[in-house]
Amino acid sequence: MRFRRRVSCFIAFALTLCLAMAPAGVAAQNRLDSSSEVWLSGVPPFVRQQTFQESDSDYMDLFKPDAPWSKSAQTVSVFMINGALVMHQSDEELKAVFSDLKRRNIALAIEMGLLSGKDSAGQQVCGVGVEGFAAPDNAKVVANRIQRAGGVLAYVAMDEPLWCAHHFSGKNACGWTMEDVARDIAPRVAALREKFSAVQIGDIEPVGTAQPPDWVEEISQWTQVYRKVVGEPLSFFHADVAWNGPRQQQLPAVKSRIIAAGLKFGIIYDGGGAKEESDAVWTREAEQRFRMVESNPSMIPDHAIIQSWARWPKKMLPEDQPGTLTNLVLKYSNAR
């Protein structure tokens, strides 16, 4: 079961076929008066072309010194890329991305799959073409390219490993125990740490699903199993909210357990779900969702992730134009 058309699902499939900036300092941590750290993530050019057959993209314009997002850039603490950007943009383009993020004092994150689907003998037993899975050396390849281009990876957000390897029941499903899932991830975590020793590894999982009925407890158990098997705790947990599901019950329950486990808690704010979408509709939906969630002060997350993996909004810039992703960042900061 997939809760969103995630860009990294495409990336995992493509990479399978193909085969410090440390966490932001005090200046970046305190960009907002609130406790939320704002993350921003959009659809890079290669994925837009391959997934939506659209060649027009202003994504790379974000990293020009005079790019029209100066106010929203001051709000963003973390910019999250994905494997498609790393593997398909040129060396010079990657250097420009990482250099500009450093200049703006914005930390670098990547969302990626850290599952391989291999058994202990190294045989591929499951996971081919499944979200959250990638080639076994994917993490090493991506980390090497980021480092060569001058990037310093501060965060890695895993692409729903518990859901995709433990619960997913479609073609090439693994149906692994939590221990098996964590064991498969561990070598990729080690490979990332060889290049970026201070990188923080976190997890994205769906929240707001009716099945399984004990999903909240499973998430809590997963954080404990991961720590025991991998030998270190997760740093954060991001909720990929199924907005039409029972999220009103699950979201507070998951947040409570994540905070009790000593992890940072984040919520992905996105649009989508309307009968007819557009940039204006998508961003309006996302705004309605963060206003609705955070009208309850107890639900304000540690990380507020403004993210699109969909066709909309088609533009990242400019920040003063309604319907762009950077304008949505401004609306979030103004709402706080």
Side-chain angles (χ1 to χ4, degrees):
M1 182 174 183
R2 296 186 182 182
F3 288 84
R4 52 183 177 135
R5 285 181 56 89
R6 185 184 292 279
V7 167
S8 51
C9 176
F10 169 79
I11 297 163
F13 179 69
L15 289 178
T16 300
L17 290 178
C18 288
L19 240 47
M21 178 183 274
V26 174
Q29 294 285 343
N30 296 326
R31 289 172 187 262
L32 291 177
D33 291 335
S34 70
S35 60
S36 291
E37 187 177 78
V38 178
W39 293 38
L40 175 62
S41 184
V43 180
F46 178 80
V47 176
R48 183 166 292 280
Q49 173 64 46
Q50 294 296 311
T51 306
F52 307 120
Q53 291 73 55
E54 294 175 352
S55 58
D56 185 24
S57 171
D58 65 352
Y59 182 100
M60 296 303 295
D61 292 339
L62 284 168
F63 311 106
K64 296 178 179 179
D66 59 348
W69 67 302
S70 57
K71 291 180 181 179
S72 50
Q74 291 176 16
T75 297
V76 173
S77 294
V78 181
F79 191 89
M80 185 159 63
I81 62 172
N82 54 49
L85 182 80
V86 176
M87 300 307 294
H88 294 282
Q89 301 305 132
S90 70
D91 290 346
E92 290 305 311
E93 286 172 324
L94 286 182
K95 289 176 182 178
V97 170
F98 302 147
S99 175
D100 191 65
L101 291 177
K102 287 180 179 179
R103 181 182 65 83
R104 297 181 189 274
N105 196 25
I106 296 175
L108 175 66
I110 189 168
E111 178 183 353
M112 63 191 303
L114 293 188
L115 294 163
S116 73
K118 300 270 189 175
D119 63 15
S120 58
Q123 298 298 310
Q124 191 76 45
V125 294
C126 58
V128 176
V130 178
E131 182 177 356
F133 289 79
D137 63 348
N138 176 35
K140 182 178 181 179
V141 170
V142 168
N144 284 341
R145 187 131 203 263
I146 290 174
Q147 187 181 64
R148 287 200 307 270
V152 181
L153 191 59
Y155 301 94
V156 172
M158 295 189 291
D159 184 7
E160 303 188 355
L162 179 62
W163 185 267
C164 295
H166 182 59
H167 276 296
F168 175 68
S169 58
K171 184 179 179 180
N172 296 326
C174 291
W176 283 344
T177 65
M178 291 185 190
E179 289 77 8
D180 289 336
V181 178
R183 276 193 289 269
D184 192 45
I185 290 170
R188 259 63 65 192
V189 171
L192 289 166
R193 293 211 177 279
E194 286 182 7
K195 296 297 181 181
F196 303 106
S197 60
V199 66
Q200 296 187 40
I201 311 292
D203 188 17
I204 305 169
E205 296 291 345
V207 175
T209 170
Q211 296 296 329
D214 61 345
W215 181 235
V216 173
E217 294 302 328
E218 285 198 22
I219 289 173
S220 181
Q221 182 184 355
W222 163 241
T223 65
Q224 299 172 41
V225 170
Y226 180 94
R227 181 171 190 157
K228 180 179 179 180
V229 174
V230 180
E232 62 181 61
L234 291 166
S235 294
F236 58 87
F237 177 94
H238 290 172
D240 176 11
V241 183
W243 295 103
N244 294 325
R247 57 97 190 157
Q248 289 181 309
Q249 296 78 33
Q250 283 194 6
L251 206 52
V254 170
K255 182 184 180 186
S256 176
R257 285 162 174 78
I258 292 301
I259 297 301
L263 314 184
K264 297 289 187 179
F265 176 75
I267 299 175
I268 297 172
Y269 292 125
D270 63 317
K275 185 176 181 180
E276 294 184 7
E277 290 285 357
S278 66
D279 291 1
V281 171
W282 192 98
T283 52
R284 184 168 63 247
E285 291 165 341
E287 181 181 2
Q288 289 170 344
R289 287 165 179 171
F290 66 63
R291 288 184 182 275
M292 172 179 60
V293 170
E294 299 190 21
S295 63
N296 179 354
S298 70
M299 285 306 300
I300 294 174
D302 299 302
H303 300 164
I305 304 97
I306 308 296
Q307 181 177 15
S308 176
W309 50 89
R311 173 174 279 132
W312 308 279
K314 296 184 179 181
K315 296 293 184 182
M316 303 290 290
L317 302 164
E319 65 182 4
D320 61 358
Q321 178 178 309
T324 69
L325 207 56
T326 51
N327 181 258
L328 185 61
V329 171
L330 280 186
K331 287 185 176 181
Y332 179 80
S333 62
N334 291 339
R336 298 305 307 280

